[in-house]
């Protein structure tokens, strides 16, 4: 079993500190939106759907700090809170989706309650906000299950599969997206072997994904990223599945740095390349991949491994944390509403309308 990622009880949110995994299971207590934003920025919690769920709970906690007041004050606090949460990380659209959903709830509530709020009205708002945050979480959990079913049905028997980064239970409130597909297929006896790429520089594959696969009893091995092409060529890999942080309207997909390279290798070797992501990952406002903001993270995450410097002092470093895989390299998108293939603007729209 994978430990709970978020534990919400009125007044606080406990966040599993993923920086300490796999060695230690420890929780951080968050009491407001600033705490949720900090835990997200610092990577204590990570993974697109999970940072959205944490933002929703952080928003609900922030509203608890409100004193009875006016609708205008509520809108001001809610807008400031949404902005604070959205500033935590720029690429995963699930964060924006969840913050905006909570903001809409507050704005609609303010529109229905003019004048000054009584303590009873405020209590009603808090109950609604907590309910919405729990709903966002429940929807994520259900989406993971559905993607697991659709994805497992796509894979061949005796599947030798590869994944990158961590799109597992640790990145969601359910069984995961890409890793959820692998574990669901494993439960149906379809997985012969799974490979997890270590995912330099933050090592989500080495610290998190392989740990999840081992805990789920999936026959699996860890690779460094530069082994992927050789293993695909020589070890019978017949599917690759990854998650996504943001999918543009045309299907171009932003995911952890290294995903694009894997997709190019997959095309060369005629291996199907699947992206599993819930529909809130699809950003119709982004026409194509060029419109997706790619997060640049610190140099230290590249030059240090577990506190040890591995490159010369003062070296100049690049650290884009994500890349964009063009839709044309993706065999199918797997959402909770079904399988999108070929990946085209029209097919994405059709899936969203289901
Ligand atoms: O920087 P991270 O660890 O938050 O990046 C995570 C990924 O890139 C995942 O593949 C993506 O968020 C999908 S998670 C279901």
């Amino acid at each position: 079993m994978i430990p709970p990622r978020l534990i919400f009880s009125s007044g606080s949110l406990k966040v599993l500190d993923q920086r300490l995994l796999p060695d230690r299971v420890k929780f951080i207590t968050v009491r407001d939106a600033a705490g949720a934003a900090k835990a997200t920025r610092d990577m204590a919690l990570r993974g697109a759907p999970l940072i959205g769920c944490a933002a929703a709970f952080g928003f609900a906690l922030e509203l608890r700090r409100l004193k009875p007041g006016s609708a205008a004050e509520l809108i001001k606090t809610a807008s400031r809170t949404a902005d604070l949460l959205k500033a935590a990380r720029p690429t995963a659209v699930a964060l924006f989706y969840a913050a905006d959903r909570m903001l809409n709830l507050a704005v609609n509530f303010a529109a229905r309650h003019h004048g000054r709020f009584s303590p009873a009205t405020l209590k009603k708002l808090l109950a609604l906000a907590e309910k919405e945050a729990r709903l966002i979480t429940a929807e994520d959990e259900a989406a993971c299950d559905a993607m697991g079913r659709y994805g497992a049905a796509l894979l061949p028997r005796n599947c030798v599969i590869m994944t990158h980064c961590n799109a597992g239970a640790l990145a969601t409130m359910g069984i995961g997206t890409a890793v959820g597909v692998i574990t669901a297929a494993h439960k149906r006896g379809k997985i012969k072997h799974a490979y997890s790429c270590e995912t330099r520089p933050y090592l989500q594959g080495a610290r998190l994904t392989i740990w999840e696969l081992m805990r789920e009893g999936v026959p699996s091995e860890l690779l460094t990223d530069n082994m992927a092409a050789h293993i695909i060529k020589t070890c019978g890999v017949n599917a690759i599945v990854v998650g996504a942080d943001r999918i543009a309207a045309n299907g171009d997909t932003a995911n952890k740095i290294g995903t694009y390279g894997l997709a190019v290798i997959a095309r060369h070797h005629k291996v199907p390349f699947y992206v599993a992501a819930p529909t809130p990952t699809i950003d119709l406002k982004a026409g194509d991949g060029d419109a997706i903001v790619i997060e640049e993270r610190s140099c230290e995450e590249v030059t240090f491994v577990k506190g040890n410097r591995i490159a010369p002092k003062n070296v100049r470093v690049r650290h884009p944390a994500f890349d964009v895989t063009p839709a044309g390299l993706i065999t199918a998108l797997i959402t909770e509403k079904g399988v999108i293939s070929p990946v085209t603007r029209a097919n994405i729209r059709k899936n969203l309308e289901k």
Side-chain angles (χ1 to χ4, degrees):
M1 278 287 285
I2 307 303
R5 282 67 78 199
L6 304 175
I7 305 170
F8 182 71
S9 65
S10 302
S12 75
L13 175 69
K14 290 205 178 357
V15 172
L16 175 65
D17 188 346
Q18 299 196 18
R19 295 168 300 186
L20 306 177
L21 292 175
D23 300 326
R24 282 171 65 201
V25 172
K26 199 174 160 237
F27 291 84
I28 294 171
T29 301
V30 163
R31 297 197 188 280
D32 54 19
K38 184 175 180 337
T40 302
R41 234 183 358 258
D42 296 350
M43 301 284 281
L45 66 105
R46 42 139 310 274
L50 188 68
I51 62 180
C53 295
F57 286 125
F59 199 110
L61 287 174
E62 189 68 27
L63 293 184
R64 294 175 72 89
R65 299 161 80 98
L66 277 170
K67 303 269 174 294
S70 68
E73 278 163 41
L74 166 59
I75 292 178
K76 220 163 100 188
T77 301
S79 308
R80 209 183 43 231
T81 303
D83 288 347
L84 172 76
L85 289 163
K86 289 189 217 173
R89 291 189 77 185
T91 306
V93 74
L95 174 63
F96 295 74
Y97 167 83
D100 282 337
R101 220 167 121 172
M102 298 302 286
L103 175 61
N104 284 342
L105 175 130
V107 169
N108 289 337
F109 187 89
R112 288 199 307 275
H113 297 82
H114 304 292
R116 291 192 72 75
F117 290 172
S118 65
T121 311
L122 198 53
K123 214 168 142 192
K124 216 152 103 193
L125 168 67
L126 299 186
L128 282 175
E130 291 192 11
K131 194 169 159 206
E132 188 73 356
R134 288 188 197 278
L135 184 62
I136 290 172
T137 294
E139 286 170 3
D140 180 53
E141 203 179 329
C144 288
D145 287 341
M147 284 181 279
R149 284 194 300 276
Y150 286 121
L154 273 183
L155 299 180
R157 297 233 147 255
N158 287 322
C159 186
V160 180
I161 196 160
M162 184 177 284
T163 189
H164 186 65
C165 192
N166 175 265
L170 290 166
T172 66
M173 290 298 278
I175 61 168
T177 60
V179 176
V181 168
I182 298 175
T183 52
H186 171 62
K187 289 202 168 92
R188 290 157 177 77
K190 286 181 117 178
I191 300 292
K192 185 170 165 198
H193 204 77
Y195 292 104
S196 168
C197 297
E198 73 170 347
T199 322
R200 274 282 289 154
Y202 212 76
L203 304 176
Q204 289 92 334
R207 294 188 303 106
L208 309 175
T209 302
I210 199 72
W211 186 69
E212 284 196 29
L213 292 171
M214 288 165 72
R215 285 194 153 211
E216 296 292 340
V218 180
S220 51
E221 282 171 312
L222 175 66
L223 309 173
T224 62
D225 300 334
N226 53 359
M227 296 172 188
H230 174 73
I231 295 290
I232 290 169
K233 186 171 135 192
T234 60
C235 296
V237 172
N238 52 14
I240 296 176
V241 63
V242 297
D245 284 80
R246 192 181 296 236
I247 300 172
N250 72 338
D252 290 351
T253 294
N255 190 50
K256 181 54 56 190
I257 191 75
T259 302
Y260 174 34
L262 266 190
V264 171
I265 299 166
R267 177 56 53 95
H268 182 76
H269 291 282
K270 300 185 175 55
V271 173
F273 188 88
Y274 300 115
V275 173
T279 49
T281 315
I282 299 173
D283 179 7
L284 293 181
K285 291 206 282 296
D288 60 30
D290 291 345
I292 301 176
V293 177
I294 298 295
E295 178 181 15
E296 289 270 346
R297 293 189 61 87
S298 79
C299 304
E300 286 71 28
E301 287 177 2
V302 174
T303 54
F304 283 79
V305 174
K306 287 216 156 193
N308 297 313
R309 190 161 50 76
I310 57 159
K313 264 187 191 161
N314 304 324
V315 65
R316 291 174 62 183
V317 172
R318 283 294 311 275
H319 184 188
F322 300 93
D323 57 27
V324 175
T325 300
L329 293 180
I330 301 169
T331 310
L333 295 177
I334 303 160
T335 78
E336 76 279 16
K337 296 183 176 193
V339 175
I340 305 171
S341 182
V343 181
T344 62
R345 242 174 242 279
N347 285 345
I348 288 174
R349 279 210 176 266
K350 259 190 245 157
N351 182 271
L352 289 176
E353 282 158 14
K354 277 188 190 169

